[in-house]
Amino acid sequence: MKIWTSEHTFNHPWETVTQAAWRKYPNPMNPSVIGIDVVDRKVNDGVLSTHRLICTKWGLPNWVNNLTGGDKNCYVSEMSQVDPYNRIMTMESKNVSLSKYVSVDEKLTYSPHPTNNDCTLLRQEAVVTVKGVPLKSYLEERVTNSISTNANKGRLAMEWVISMLNTEVHELTSSAVKSMDELTSSAKKSMDDLTNNTKKSMDDLTRAFKNVEGFTSPLSSSIPKL
């Protein structure tokens, strides 16, 4: 058995990081993850619990796949919980494929940084156990190294997703401002058109009255003669 642990700080609020965690895949940094399906999702006492099935490529040597009869594609079961009140998100995963020979239990915890509330602390832990195949220590070391490499790629992927989220927010804000400007401009044009049409109608009416022979303005006829 081999245990791997790591900590990383994201310079982004917890709400932003947890949104990015949900939208992490697909991304160009982790091409090994090729599919995700939501098996179950529910909310209890304000806590969101989700069960997902993830399809990924482990990249084990061919002789290991031949020995175990395994496929290059492996499936991982992930159970997660998001507690927005206490601002804690946990993701626990365990491989379904090849579990008879290789067991990988991984846990990720996202929480606000203890000294900076505008940052998020990620704690990762993975327990790797290989059994029933030759070169046990070698395989445990190789799988652990793969986890460490993928963890670094995963952090870059999170930054990539956060950048995408910020771009979406900027575009949405710009679109809203543009729509408001267009609405204001349209309303102003309508008011200008209405004012011009009203003025034109009044001018036309005045000219029509003046063209009538013997026309006397109602206002002038009401003035008493001295």
Side-chain angles (χ1 to χ4, degrees), residues 10-124:
F10 292 99
N11 295 319
H12 309 281
W14 180 84
E15 289 78 8
T16 300
V17 174
T18 50
Q19 287 185 51
W22 284 121
R23 299 178 57 177
K24 184 177 178 182
Y25 303 110
N27 68 74
M29 290 78 173
N30 294 110
S32 59
V33 177
I34 57 178
I36 297 179
D37 290 307
V38 176
V39 178
D40 185 37
R41 177 168 285 169
K42 56 188 176 182
V43 177
N44 290 323
D45 297 328
V47 178
L48 174 65
S49 300
T50 305
H51 179 199
R52 299 194 299 180
L53 190 63
I54 302 173
C55 182
T56 182
K57 294 181 180 181
W58 272 13
L60 294 175
N62 289 330
W63 67 267
V64 176
N65 289 324
N66 294 333
L67 182 65
T68 60
D71 193 354
K72 290 183 178 180
N73 295 338
C74 296
Y75 292 91
V76 176
S77 176
E78 178 196 79
M79 306 295 295
S80 65
Q81 287 192 330
V82 182
D83 184 347
Y85 180 78
N86 294 304
R87 303 177 76 195
I88 295 177
M89 178 181 187
T90 59
M91 290 181 163
E92 298 184 55
S93 61
K94 184 171 185 176
N95 61 295
V96 177
S97 304
L98 300 178
S99 58
K100 181 179 179 180
Y101 305 100
V102 182
S103 176
V104 179
D105 295 273
E106 186 176 10
K107 182 177 181 179
L108 288 77
T109 303
Y110 297 91
S111 59
H113 195 278
T115 60
N116 189 344
N117 203 42
D118 292 329
C119 297
T120 303
L121 179 63
L122 167 62
R123 292 187 176 93
Q124 288 180 267

Side-chain angles (χ1 to χ4, degrees), residues 5 20 31-32 43 55 57 80 87 96 100 124 132 135 153 159 164-165 169 171 178 180 188 199 203 215 223:
T5 60
S32 59
V43 177
C55 182
K57 294 181 180 181
S80 65
R87 303 177 76 195
V96 177
K100 181 179 179 180
Q124 288 180 267
L135 302 175
K153 293 179 180 178
E159 294 291 348
M164 295 287 289
L165 289 173
V169 171
E171 290 178 350
K178 182 180 178 182
M180 183 60 67
K188 184 178 183 301
K199 185 177 182 300
D203 291 342
F215 168 74
I223 300 175

Side-chain angles (χ1 to χ4, degrees), residues 120-149:
T120 303
L121 179 63
L122 167 62
R123 292 187 176 93
Q124 288 180 267
E125 178 181 289
V127 179
V128 180
T129 305
V130 176
K131 50 191 175 183
V133 295
L135 302 175
K136 172 182 173 181
S137 298
Y138 164 76
L139 285 176
E140 287 180 346
E141 184 69 25
R142 174 149 186 171
V143 172
T144 302
N145 290 339
S146 177
I147 292 173
S148 179
T149 300

